[in-house]
Amino acid sequence: MQLTTLLAAVERGDDLTVSEFLDGHALAPAAALTDDDATTLFWAVLRAGRDELVSALVGRVDLDRPGPAGLDPVTWAAAHGRAAELQAMLPGEPQVSAPGGGPHRRALRAAQDALDAGALPPPAHRAVVTDVEAALGIHRPAGELLARALVSGDPGHADWFSSSFRLGLRFDRETFVWARDLARDGESRLHRLFGTDTLGSLGLPPQISVEDIEAPFADEAADFLRPLLDTESDPYALRSVMRAFGLHCRPGETRAFLRHARHPDAGVRRYVGGALPHGPEVLDALVRLAGDPVPDVRVPALQRLVWLRADTPRVRAALADQLGHPDVAGRIAAASGLALRGDARGRALLEELRSDPVHRRILGPGGLGELHHVLRSAPGGVRGGVPGT
């Protein structure tokens, strides 16, 4: 495949073509693209904001070498507030002994210079600073990270996410108390949202599985959040409260989310479908959500239905109705649920998806592994379900 073809794919947003090419030549990348061509392609995906492709190509380029704009890739990404692309390039450990302090220090200087010059969102310069400072071990007060998030005032912005996420990784009581008090702020919606988002990030310390440790403030957090499940009227805040409650509550307590299964906000319904615990009392809600008018709402509900042992005409009908779901994840969930119940329609679709090259690429090794597991489990009916469902 010629470089011009790959560049055209990037321009039209066809990441799949580029990924397939790179995967197909992973064992001999130099035979597929010269170093100069790889660098040209790298800059194209970097400028286009394709962080996954940046990650796939970063091993082929010299991150210290200036590009078309006279800046090296790290400096360019930081100067333009490209937080996701920068994270795809930076090494896991800061190389502070390298000339100039290494790429982390270089990125921090570039992002800070842009902020000093008056840069404002949507570029995520504050996320760059927050992430790089965290990697360098620079500990900023919670109030300063909140201030960075409030510049955009958008819970969906990278500046907001980076601040709440990095606070959550501290996993200490001081941060819990700070976030809880902020979530009590009745005067500021944004303060309340940031507080609950941070509580939702405090549920798991870095590099420790949930089975190994429980937050020392988990019961307090759950007790604080539980009443908010009834009183919170803002849809985003309610989703944030549910996410945080799900992390801190006792097993099975997410049954409390049932009350929101008919919520007018699609995002709330979607979260409910994916967070309900196993059990016969949630079956009606999952079946209803699996047929929700909004396609995105159906997917997590379908995925929850897959391993439930309940096998009724209503459950099968709900699954069969979604075999044509517009999202491949929805189709796989529906087909898996049927296949595990011995329904030939489900197995047929899974076999079709497994043999299709495009879907194999979309699924990747992990998705294909799950699909194979379902097909192996299917002949004996539903096995491996959760007791009591």
Side-chain angles (χ1 to χ4, degrees):
M1 184 179 294
Q2 298 297 316
L3 175 64
T4 52
T5 302
L6 295 171
L7 294 175
V10 173
E11 187 173 354
R12 65 176 181 270
D14 183 6
D15 292 5
L16 182 60
T17 292
V18 181
S19 295
E20 286 182 333
F21 175 83
L22 295 175
D23 287 350
H25 297 85
L27 297 179
L33 285 174
T34 65
D35 287 344
D36 285 344
D37 284 353
T39 299
T40 299
L41 181 60
F42 176 84
W43 273 99
V45 299
L46 175 59
R47 289 176 175 275
R50 305 311 205 308
D51 56 290
E52 291 187 2
L53 293 178
V54 169
S55 181
L57 281 161
V58 70
R60 294 292 311 277
V61 300
D62 180 357
L63 295 180
D64 297 322
R65 176 184 172 185
L71 299 174
D72 64 83
V74 167
T75 302
W76 185 92
H80 288 79
R82 299 293 189 86
E85 293 82 3
L86 182 65
Q87 287 300 306
M89 286 187 282
L90 289 176
E93 293 293 328
Q95 301 167 351
V96 293
S97 61
H104 284 82
R105 289 288 181 184
R106 198 160 72 233
L108 186 58
R109 286 193 297 270
Q112 193 59 61
D113 286 347
L115 289 174
D116 292 344
L120 291 171
H125 294 93
R126 288 165 182 82
V128 170
V129 171
T130 299
D131 290 337
V132 174
E133 284 183 340
L136 291 169
I138 299 172
H139 189 94
R140 298 297 184 191
E144 185 172 341
L145 297 185
L146 168 64
R148 292 176 184 176
L150 293 180
V151 174
S152 71
D154 177 7
H157 194 277
D159 290 348
W160 180 292
F161 173 80
S162 290
S163 287
S164 64
F165 178 71
R166 296 298 172 181
L167 282 170
L169 291 182
R170 294 180 183 181
F171 198 66
D172 56 26
R173 180 170 183 78
E174 179 185 355
T175 306
F176 161 69
V177 171
W178 180 88
R180 181 197 62 193
D181 292 347
L182 194 67
R184 285 174 170 158
D185 190 339
E187 300 298 320
S188 170
R189 172 180 179 268
L190 291 179
H191 282 187
R192 195 169 79 251
L193 297 185
F194 191 83
T196 54
D197 272 357
T198 302
L199 288 174
S201 296
L202 275 166
L204 194 65
Q207 299 178 337
I208 301 178
S209 71
V210 72
E211 291 82 8
D212 294 331
I213 191 170
E214 180 182 273
F217 43 79
D219 289 341
E220 281 185 81
D223 289 343
F224 168 71
L225 293 161
R226 192 176 289 107
L228 300 183
L229 295 173
D230 291 323
T231 60
E232 184 55 70
S233 59
D234 183 283
Y236 181 92
L238 179 57
R239 294 196 302 273
S240 183
V241 166
M242 288 195 296
R243 182 170 60 252
F245 183 75
L247 285 170
H248 296 294
C249 71
R250 298 296 179 182
E253 280 196 280
T254 53
R255 287 183 179 84
F257 298 168
L258 275 171
R259 71 194 71 172
H260 298 300
R262 297 180 184 272
H263 196 280
D265 181 76
V268 170
R269 298 197 306 276
R270 187 180 194 279
Y271 191 83
V272 170
L276 287 173
H278 292 286
E281 70 275 20
V282 306
L283 184 60
D284 285 346
L286 286 176
V287 168
R288 184 169 63 252
L289 289 167
D292 194 274
V294 180
D296 282 350
V297 174
R298 301 175 213 154
V299 175
L302 289 165
Q303 291 169 338
R304 300 295 282 181
L305 282 174
V306 170
W307 295 101
L308 291 180
R309 285 179 175 169
D311 187 7
T312 67
R314 187 175 176 223
V315 170
R316 289 202 183 204
L319 293 167
D321 285 346
Q322 300 304 319
L323 289 174
H325 193 284
D327 188 327
V328 65
R331 295 198 297 278
I332 288 175
S336 297
L338 287 174
L340 288 167
R341 289 165 174 81
D343 192 309
R345 293 172 295 179
R347 172 174 280 282
L349 180 55
L350 292 179
E351 294 284 10
E352 178 184 332
L353 294 173
R354 182 170 66 168
S355 63
D356 180 72
V358 172
H359 283 102
R360 289 179 65 87
R361 175 65 191 89
I362 293 173
L363 291 171
L368 284 171
E370 292 178 10
L371 193 149
H372 295 329
H373 174 62
V374 171
L375 287 171
R376 286 194 303 268
S377 303
V382 179
R383 293 202 300 268
V386 177
T389 58

